[in-house]
Amino acid sequence: MIVISAEMIGDRAGWEGCLPCRFRRLDEGETYSAINSDSAGSTVSGSIYVVDGSKHICVANAGAPEDRIRIIVRWCQVRHDLAPAGPGGNWEATGYVRCGDGWREVPVLVTPVRKELFSRTRGLFENDMLAEKSVFVAGLGSVGSVVAVELAKLGIMNMVLMDHDRLEVANVIRHVAGLSDVGRYKVLAVADAIHEKNPHAKVETCNRKIAWDTYDLTRQYVRRSDLTICTADGREGRLILNKLCVEENKPIIFVGAFRRAYGGQILLVIPHQTPCYQCFLQALPENVIGQEAPDGEQAPAYSDRPMEAEPGLSNDIAPLGQMVVKLALQRLIEGKPTTLQSLDEDLVASWYIWLNRREAETGYSELEPLGFHVNGMHVLRWYGVDLSRDPACQCCGDFVRHAAEREGFEVTAEDMATFTTSEVR
Ligand SMILES: [Zn+2]
């Protein structure tokens, strides 16, 4: 079997010529596919030779000398016994695989990828609604990689991925990329995984770390995107992204798992409407921030610190990614008439907590067992926290005025001008 997409020839009605292309060799040579042949893996060269149906063409003359695969496509009058129909008529495709000095004829599957890809999700919402949206995913670890691929499956057609890490064997069990991707930059492995699901998605990758030296670059990514999702480790990168999103007035979702993934939390920031990440940090009790140990293993339950070594089960991390995607989707289609619109009334919290278990030596060890309870905090349920913005927030609030009032001195408008947020780093 040889597989090609209808788009490769469908909009070329009446066109004649030769299209060189790459085919992935699969199933020990039983299958060759030109769909998504840009993804990693070995490919062989081939040609799609398109001619008018009335002309005779011999396979030996229909392509380049190095071809391993050749397909002859003949345009025909519209005939209902030939499928699939292209916009300009029908075609008949015959495939050949090089076999010694000759060619072996094999069937060709011509499949309309673009049309079929989201055909079964129609009715939930119009996928085209998301085609113009752009999402920036910072951090492509166990949560970020799943989120990025899930977004592509929703029909998000524009994505920027940023992460400086390469994939290690220990990551694989919780990551969308597999062992064959070990050693690769995570962003490139995830871009391939996205294209496996949605070959038409435009994915830009950046293998640098979010830090002050990538500040301006990161701002460009934030500015160009409708939504930023931060799954990256590290307080500094998170604060930088928070600051950029507040300045650019763009929503951002932060997600982090607690140690050994006994739970996790998500913060949705809509600048100047909901608490920003800095407000969130300021809302944590001071003794909690003070207690934060240098490694995530010792971090308290409600710390924002992600675990460093990802020692959780994939199953325990999955709920975090799925909730991030749900919140992201809801932001991107907000106010649109879809079957998901009622969720706007449900997902009103800006801070969500999930617990996989009643972890010993945490504030949650004495929680009431889940049982049949519906009220209050329990394991294996999302718990929304009503968190307020801090009017004196250093990032999204009026920090200088509040500090002046607290300390009892006056600040003039001129003084204030020297404290514009874009100047403070
Ligand atoms: Zn704030």
Side-chain angles (χ1 to χ4, degrees):
M1 170 77 75
I2 303 175
V3 188
I4 60 173
S5 72
E7 287 82 3
M8 294 170 80
I9 45 177
D11 54 0
R12 297 169 186 266
W15 179 84
E16 290 189 288
C18 183
L19 300 168
C21 52
R22 306 291 303 177
F23 291 82
R24 283 188 300 137
R25 184 179 184 276
L26 304 161
D27 306 341
E28 297 181 342
E30 276 298 304
T31 308
Y32 291 88
S33 173
I35 294 177
N36 205 15
S37 57
D38 290 339
S39 61
S42 64
T43 59
V44 298
S45 61
S47 297
I48 300 176
Y49 201 88
V50 187
V51 289
D52 184 278
S54 59
K55 291 182 188 165
H56 176 76
I57 187 83
C58 173
V59 62
N61 304 321
E66 66 275 17
D67 284 347
R68 304 287 307 161
I69 303 293
R70 280 181 186 164
I71 299 171
I72 299 178
V73 176
R74 294 182 176 85
W75 291 107
C76 309
Q77 297 297 315
V78 173
R79 273 171 48 187
H80 296 292
D81 59 320
L82 294 179
N90 289 45
W91 61 75
E92 209 174 24
T94 316
Y96 301 90
V97 176
R98 188 181 286 278
C99 189
D101 292 337
W103 294 88
R104 177 168 59 93
E105 186 175 326
V106 293
V108 182
L109 172 67
V110 185
T111 185
V113 175
R114 190 182 280 269
K115 183 167 153 242
E116 290 282 312
L117 203 55
F118 295 108
S119 59
R120 295 186 188 178
T121 60
R122 293 205 186 276
L124 285 176
F125 56 90
E126 193 61 45
N127 290 100
D128 296 344
M129 201 177 268
L130 296 170
E132 298 302 316
K133 299 291 184 185
S134 179
V135 179
F136 171 28
V137 183
L140 277 302
S142 52
V143 178
S145 66
V146 171
V147 166
V149 173
E150 287 293 320
L151 291 173
K153 285 153 74 173
L154 288 173
I156 304 286
M157 301 302 282
N158 305 283
M159 265 190 268
V160 180
L161 311 178
M162 188 168 179
D163 191 313
H164 65 291
D165 273 344
R166 291 176 184 271
L167 192 74
E168 297 174 14
V169 173
N171 303 139
V172 166
I173 215 75
R174 282 172 292 271
H175 203 274
V176 295
L179 279 173
S180 57
D181 293 305
V182 166
R184 299 182 68 198
Y185 282 113
K186 288 178 180 174
V187 286
L188 296 178
V190 174
D192 282 344
I194 287 172
H195 285 135
E196 277 291 310
K197 291 293 181 187
N198 184 351
H200 304 291
K202 296 188 191 80
V203 184
E204 184 175 340
T205 60
C206 175
N207 59 13
R208 297 181 67 189
K209 187 176 183 175
I210 294 171
W212 293 113
D213 65 332
T214 52
Y215 185 79
D216 294 331
L217 177 69
T218 309
R219 181 191 290 280
Q220 294 307 316
Y221 295 147
V222 167
R223 186 175 287 170
R224 278 171 22 204
S225 303
D226 297 290
L227 174 71
T228 295
I229 295 172
C230 175
T231 73
D233 295 354
R235 178 72 63 85
E236 183 183 87
R238 286 167 174 247
L239 285 170
I240 288 172
L241 270 177
N242 182 63
K243 178 170 154 57
L244 288 171
C245 286
V246 168
E247 287 179 12
E248 297 291 331
N249 201 23
K250 298 281 190 171
I252 177 167
I253 297 173
F254 292 95
V255 56
F258 302 145
R259 62 185 158 92
R260 291 192 297 276
Y262 75 80
Q265 62 192 349
I266 297 171
L267 182 72
L268 165 65
V269 178
I270 304 166
H272 310 296
Q273 290 182 42
T274 71
C276 78
Y277 181 64
Q278 182 78 49
C279 293
F280 167 79
L281 290 182
Q282 287 171 205
L284 295 179
E286 260 181 41
N287 60 335
V288 171
I289 294 178
Q291 280 171 19
E292 274 193 2
D295 67 89
E297 192 62 20
Q298 299 301 315
Y302 34 30
S303 145
D304 66 304
R305 290 189 72 92
M307 49 198 185
E308 303 287 339
E310 302 185 68
L313 299 175
S314 180
N315 171 251
D316 285 339
I317 292 164
L320 303 179
Q322 296 305 326
M323 185 62 161
V324 168
V325 172
K326 202 163 272 299
L327 290 170
L329 175 61
Q330 219 55 30
R331 279 306 306 164
L332 295 170
I333 61 171
E334 194 190 19
K336 301 268 174 59
T338 71
T339 50
L340 306 178
Q341 198 168 15
S342 63
L343 276 173
D344 286 343
E345 293 170 22
D346 296 288
L347 299 172
V348 294
S350 54
W351 179 14
Y352 290 93
I353 294 177
W354 171 273
L355 298 170
N356 284 307
R357 56 185 177 269
R358 290 175 287 129
E359 181 83 345
E361 297 173 22
T362 70
Y364 306 112
S365 61
E366 301 298 322
L367 278 185
E368 189 179 32
L370 175 62
F372 301 97
H373 300 286
V374 291
N375 294 321
M377 192 178 226
H378 296 90
V379 294
L380 304 178
R381 293 180 55 196
W382 281 106
Y383 187 78
V385 183
D386 190 8
L387 183 69
S388 299
R389 279 184 67 202
D390 181 349
C393 172
Q394 293 166 25
C395 186
C396 75
D398 197 347
F399 174 72
V400 177
R401 190 171 63 80
H402 278 84
E405 278 176 12
R406 194 174 59 240
E407 302 299 327
F409 61 86
E410 277 191 31
V411 181
T412 65
E414 254 178 34
D415 294 335
M416 290 295 282
T418 64
F419 285 103
T420 55
T421 49
S422 60
E423 298 299 322
V424 178
R425 286 196 179 184

